[in-house]
Each structure stands twice: as C-alpha cells, then as structure tokens.
C-alpha cells in the first residue's frame, strides 16, 4: 500500500480534485489508538495494488485535527477514527469506521 501523507489543506483540495477523475481513499487514524493501528495493518496486509489501483491518503488526526475537521465539513462525513472514506467526483461514496473498515468492503470501490 502506497500511503500518501495528507498534512495540509492544500492536500485535501488536491484529493478532492483528483476524485473528479478516479476514486481515492482517505484513511484517518489516531496515533494514540490501538484500533487504528490494527485496522491499518489489516488493510496493508490485504491490499493489492494491481487490483485496487486507488491512491491512498492518510491523515494523522492527532497531528492534524484541523484536516479532519475540514474533511468533515467539506464532505459531510462525521469525524471518527479510524475511518476510511472513498471519494468519487468530489463526493463520499463510502464511509466506515472502526471494525467496519475492512478490505472486502473497500474492494467494491476499486478503480478497475
């Protein structure tokens, strides 16, 4: 999995623009939460770049809470962590948190 760090408002705007032409994943996690680490590790183990072909961005909500707030306001997705949000055409088409962030669900949104 090739994580791209989202650490600025400009990066969120870039993600939104990119979602106009392809699906993109934003993964929000907390460095203080063990569940976040478990979910991230499980995704990394199951992710297949050839199959998914989706850019994957991550937001550390402890270091970048303002970005999480921007995502919540911009896309209408209530803040949670860990949380996976898939955008398409600048709108969320999938959002899940905690134990509901599973690869089999994300796979349904692969860019084939």
């Amino acid at each position: 999995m090739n994580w791209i760090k989202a650490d600025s408002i400009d990066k969120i705007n870039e993600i939104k623009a990119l979602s106009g032409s392809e699906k993109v994943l934003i993964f929000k996690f907390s460095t203080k939460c063990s569940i976040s680490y478990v979910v991230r590790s499980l995704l990394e183990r199951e992710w297949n770049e050839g199959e998914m072909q989706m850019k994957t961005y991550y937001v550390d909500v402890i270091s970048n809470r303002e970005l999480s707030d921007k995502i919540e306001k911009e896309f209408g997705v209530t803040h949670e962590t860990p949380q996976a949000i898939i955008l398409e055409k600048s709108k969320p088409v999938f959002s899940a948190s905690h134990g509901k962030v599973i690869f089999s669900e994300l796979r349904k949104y692969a860019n084939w």
Side-chain angles (χ1 to χ4, degrees), residues 35-46:
I35 295 170
S36 287
Y37 281 106
V38 169
V39 170
R40 184 175 173 173
S41 293
L42 289 171
L43 287 179
E44 289 171 345
R45 266 189 253 150
E46 294 187 57

Side-chain angles (χ1 to χ4, degrees), residues 37-82:
Y37 281 106
V38 169
V39 170
R40 184 175 173 173
S41 293
L42 289 171
L43 287 179
E44 289 171 345
R45 266 189 253 150
E46 294 187 57
W47 197 267
N48 179 326
E49 290 295 329
E51 178 184 9
M52 293 302 289
Q53 299 179 11
M54 184 183 301
K55 290 205 168 86
T56 55
Y57 294 85
Y58 73 93
V59 176
D60 173 356
V61 299
I62 299 299
S63 301
N64 296 292
R65 180 56 198 237
E66 71 280 358
L67 293 184
S68 182
D69 292 342
K70 166 85 173 166
I71 291 166
E72 182 175 34
K73 289 176 188 156
E74 186 77 28
F75 305 113
V77 178
T78 303
H79 166 78
E80 296 190 66
T81 183

Side-chain angles (χ1 to χ4, degrees), residues 1 3 9 12 20 27 31 40 42 52 54-55 57 62 66-67 75-76 81 84-85 87 89 95 98 100 106:
M1 213 166 175
W3 292 110
I9 297 296
I12 300 303
F27 180 71
T31 55
R40 184 175 173 173
L42 289 171
M52 293 302 289
M54 184 183 301
K55 290 205 168 86
Y57 294 85
I62 299 299
E66 71 280 358
L67 293 184
F75 305 113
T81 183
I85 303 163
L87 301 175
K89 295 182 176 53
S95 176
H98 298 88
K100 294 180 181 173
L106 298 177

Side-chain angles (χ1 to χ4, degrees), residues 2 15-16 18-19 22 26 32-33 41 43 47 52 58 70-72 74-76 90-91 95 97 102-103 108-109 111:
N2 296 317
I15 293 167
K16 183 178 179 181
L18 180 62
S19 77
E22 61 185 87
I26 299 173
K32 295 181 179 183
C33 174
S41 293
L43 287 179
W47 197 267
M52 293 302 289
Y58 73 93
K70 166 85 173 166
I71 291 166
E72 182 175 34
E74 186 77 28
F75 305 113
S90 303
K91 303 226 182 285
S95 176
S97 65
I102 54 176
F103 180 72
K108 296 174 185 177
Y109 298 90
N111 288 313

